[in-house]
Structure formats: structure tokens, C-alpha cells
Amino acid sequence: MRNPHASDKRSLPAGIWALGFVSLFMDVSSEMIHALLPVYLTVGLGASTLAVGVIEGIAEATAAITKVFSGALSDRIGQRKLLAALGYGLAAVTKPIFPLAPSFGWLVAARFIDRVGKGIRGAPRDALVADLAPEGLRGAAFGLRQSLDTVGAFVGPLAAILLMWLFSDNFRAVFWVAVIPAFLSLGLILFAVKEPARPEGLRRVRNPLAPSELKLLGGVYWWVVVVATLFTLARFSEAFLILRAEGEGVPIMLVPLVFVGMNFVYSLTAYPVGVLSDSIGRVWLLIVGLCLLIAADVVLALSSGITNLAVGVLLWGVHMGFTQGLLSTLVAEAVPAELRGTAFGMFNLVTGIALLVASVVAGALWEVWGPQWTFLAGAGFAGMALLSLLPLRHRLDGKAAAKAPAR
């Protein structure tokens, strides 16, 4: 019997691999900074956990809002790579602001501008993955890109730990090193990613955000958005995992190990889950992922000690591997090819607003009642997302039946 994983690797185009490594290098850069930023803000600059929640929420919501317009623009002009490269370029050139920032306000501005770059690149890049992916391998394609992206997400914190040791807890020195992989990412997308030719006969879209065009996205797509919104309310910023670790007495130098562990298991699971979803479907794997999130929240809420913290963080990472790539795949498959950029943009706008709400609520609950209630609230929203998957399964079954050829 042949190895399906080997076949999938050979079948996926080089452009998808290149986009994965673009994400990897940028994530190394971003996570070197992000893994230290919550502690730098609270310990170094005296910010409250509520302020951390607001900053993280605003940063991600900014990226989400920008994705709507960049995604729609990529549909209008029929060019994905140009906008994706612009977004990666903006993120790269703003990275030096982090070590140069003289005050709290400058750091907020740097985080904001960095997320604008993320917003510009996000929807066009995801639409480009969908455009490049062969039919029947979209789960594998999104899983591979997510896995490589997440390799960067645990290499970055590991590098941050090593550099904090080498530089004697000098945050700014670490932030300077983080500039290097950001520019490697920019070079890779400029020279190694080739955009496919636009298919002949593909409809031209003049105004992708017009109500008539948004209606064409379809009921299945909008239900995927509902599921993802409830899911995002349950999955507030991972900055709170960092703060949970600090509360358990993890030394500042070792706090980034939270991201290392979480993203290591995330990267190991995202690609195999994507491959599996091409064979057995997406919804049951999403159900498993949400159950894992509920388990992670309960462990982090009701248990104490380093061992239980590690269990909760690892469960959190596995649930990410079971869900993030699959949600992107569902979006790509639910909509017409000429509206994929708009679809990813709207998807990220709605979930970005949900992340802003979730992060602010998480910070407020933490301030008033403690971390236990933050994670218990997350488990409650995950339960609601779980219930919303049942109608999605029926809608997907109906859409598959409608597409099936008559016998």
C-alpha cells in the first residue's frame, strides 16, 4: 500500500511550499517579539493584564479589518501575490520599531502597524493557497502551510529564550535579532512564489463588497463564519497563556516555552489532520478539536502547578492543529473562485472582531475574578461552537448532494 503522505507532498505545488516557508520566517520574527511582549509590557512597563487584553484585541482586530479590503482588492484586480508581498514588506520594515520604541505608546503603535501588514497579506495569501492547491488536496495544502507557519511559531520563542540568556534578559537586543527573519520572508515571497495564470472564463468582479456579490458567497460560507466566530470567542489571545505561566512561577527567561510547546504540537498535527480531512471530511475533525479546547480550558482553569500548566498548553496546541487549517479549507471550498479573497477577508473581519471582544472579556475576567473564570468562560463558548457544528454538517451534506452528478 502506498504512503498517502508521500504522494501528497509530491502533488502539492512548489508555490504552496514556498508560501509555507514565507510564513515560517515571518512567524519566527513575530513570535520572538510576541512571546516576550506581554511580560515586557506588564513587568517592564507596568501595564495591567486588562491593558494587555485590549492591546492584543485591537492589534488582531486591525489585521482583520484590513483583510477585508485587501481580500476584496485581490478579487477585483485578479492579483494575489502583489498584495501579499506588500503586507509582508510592511511587517518587515516595521519590525525595527520594537527595539527602538522609547515608551508604551510606541510599542502599541508598532504592534498596530505590524498587524496592518498582517491584514494586507492574510486574505490574498490564503486565496493564493486555494488557487494553487490541486482539487482534492486543499485540506493538505492548508494543513501544510499552517504546519510550516507554526514551525516558525515555536522556533521564534526558542530563539527568544536562547537570546534572552545570551543577552542577560535584554528585551531590546532580542527584538533587534527578530528583524532578520522578517526580511528573509520578504525576499522569499518576492522571488520564490509564482502566481498561477487566471483561468479562462473566470468571471471578473467589479465590486466584490457589493451586497449582490456577498450574497453569492452562499449559506454554507456564512454558517462557517458563525462557527468560527463562536470558536474565536472561546480562543482568546494566547497572551493569556503566557500570563498563566508567569502566575505559576515560571521564570521570565523560560516563559516563551509556553509558545514553544503549544506551537510544536500544533505544527505536528496541522498537516496530518489536513490530509486526513481530504479523505474523511472536515466536521468530525473540528468536533475533536473543540473537545480538545474545552479540555485545555478546564485544565488551565481548575488545576495548578507546572505539570498541569504544560498539559493545558499542549492540549491547546493540538486543538489548534485540528481546527485552524480546516476552517480555512471550508472557506475556500464554500465560495466561487473569483470571490475567495473577499471570502477570506470577511471571514477574518468577523473573527477579528470576535477576538477583540474575547480578549477584552478575558482580561476583565482575569482582573476581577482571576484566571480560572477566564478559562471557564472560554470552555463555555467552545461548547456553543460545538453545538453550531451540527447544522454545518447538514449544510455541507446538502451542498455535496447538490454537486453530485445525476445517475
Side-chain angles (χ1 to χ4, degrees):
M1 184 181 232
R2 70 184 180 86
N3 183 344
H5 287 239
S7 174
D8 288 338
K9 288 179 182 178
R10 289 195 299 269
S11 301
L12 290 175
I16 290 176
W17 284 91
L19 283 170
F21 282 102
V22 168
S23 295
L24 187 157
F25 284 121
M26 187 57 74
D27 246 35
V28 169
S29 175
S30 295
E31 294 300 338
M32 284 176 68
I33 295 171
H34 192 206
L36 297 173
L37 197 58
V39 177
Y40 183 51
L41 290 171
T42 56
V43 175
L45 299 179
S48 68
T49 52
L50 177 58
V52 172
V54 171
I55 291 167
E56 290 300 314
I58 289 175
E60 295 301 332
T62 299
I65 292 169
T66 311
K67 284 177 184 178
V68 174
F69 299 103
S70 65
L73 183 58
S74 77
D75 286 336
R76 179 180 172 85
I77 67 176
Q79 296 287 326
R80 318 286 195 197
K81 176 184 169 178
L82 175 65
L83 291 168
L86 176 62
Y88 279 106
L90 183 60
V93 299
T94 55
K95 284 294 191 287
I97 297 176
F98 288 94
L100 291 172
S103 66
F104 178 82
W106 275 90
L107 284 172
V108 174
R111 183 84 171 121
F112 176 83
I113 296 170
D114 179 66
R115 295 299 87 179
V116 169
K118 179 180 180 181
I120 291 173
R121 70 182 183 255
R125 180 205 59 210
D126 290 342
L128 183 55
V129 171
D131 292 346
L132 287 166
E135 189 71 28
L137 287 178
R138 286 206 181 95
F142 279 101
L144 176 66
R145 195 208 67 79
Q146 202 74 60
S147 283
L148 290 173
D149 178 276
T150 311
V151 168
F154 72 79
V155 169
L158 275 178
I161 292 171
L162 176 62
L163 292 170
M164 285 290 279
W165 175 71
L166 287 175
F167 297 139
S168 302
D169 291 345
N170 186 330
F171 287 93
R172 296 187 182 214
V174 178
F175 293 164
W176 271 119
V177 176
V179 173
I180 299 171
F183 280 92
L184 289 175
S185 174
L186 175 59
L188 195 57
I189 194 170
L190 288 175
F191 300 109
V193 176
K194 306 297 182 185
E195 183 159 5
R198 184 180 178 87
E200 290 186 14
L202 190 65
R203 185 173 66 93
R204 292 280 180 180
V205 182
R206 292 179 59 84
N207 184 5
L209 295 177
S212 59
E213 296 291 348
L214 295 179
K215 186 177 180 181
L216 292 177
L217 295 176
V220 171
Y221 166 78
W222 289 110
W223 198 259
V224 171
V225 173
V226 169
V227 171
T229 299
L230 291 172
F231 178 84
T232 305
L233 290 172
R235 192 190 61 80
F236 41 79
S237 171
E238 284 86 16
F240 291 97
L241 298 180
I242 294 288
L243 296 175
R244 189 77 173 97
E246 186 198 359
E248 290 295 333
V250 177
I252 290 176
M253 187 182 76
L254 298 179
V255 162
L257 281 175
V258 170
F259 279 177
V260 172
M262 182 192 76
N263 288 307
F264 179 72
V265 294
Y266 182 3
S267 68
L268 288 180
T269 53
Y271 177 62
V273 166
V275 172
L276 186 60
S277 76
D278 287 328
S279 301
I280 70 171
R282 328 285 186 203
V283 175
W284 287 111
L285 294 171
L286 282 173
I287 290 172
V288 173
L290 282 165
C291 290
L292 289 167
L293 176 57
I294 292 171
D297 279 327
V298 170
V299 170
L300 290 167
L302 302 181
S303 302
S304 59
I306 301 298
T307 301
N308 289 322
L309 170 70
V311 170
V313 167
L314 292 176
L315 285 171
W316 191 289
V318 175
H319 106 265
M320 295 282 283
F322 267 81
T323 56
Q324 296 305 288
L326 296 189
L327 289 170
S328 295
T329 306
L330 287 172
V331 170
E333 293 180 335
V335 302
E338 69 271 16
L339 289 173
R340 281 177 182 150
T342 303
F344 277 110
M346 293 298 298
F347 175 84
N348 285 292
L349 170 64
V350 176
T351 55
I353 292 171
L355 185 60
L356 170 59
V357 173
S359 296
V360 173
V361 169
L365 288 172
W366 191 298
E367 286 281 311
V368 177
W369 288 303
Q372 295 82 3
W373 284 101
T374 295
F375 290 103
L376 287 176
F381 280 114
M384 294 171 62
L386 194 59
L387 293 176
S388 71
L389 282 172
L390 300 177
L392 176 62
R393 182 168 175 263
H394 293 306
R395 287 171 178 264
L396 288 172
D397 288 343
K399 184 172 182 177
K403 284 186 174 181
R407 293 187 178 181

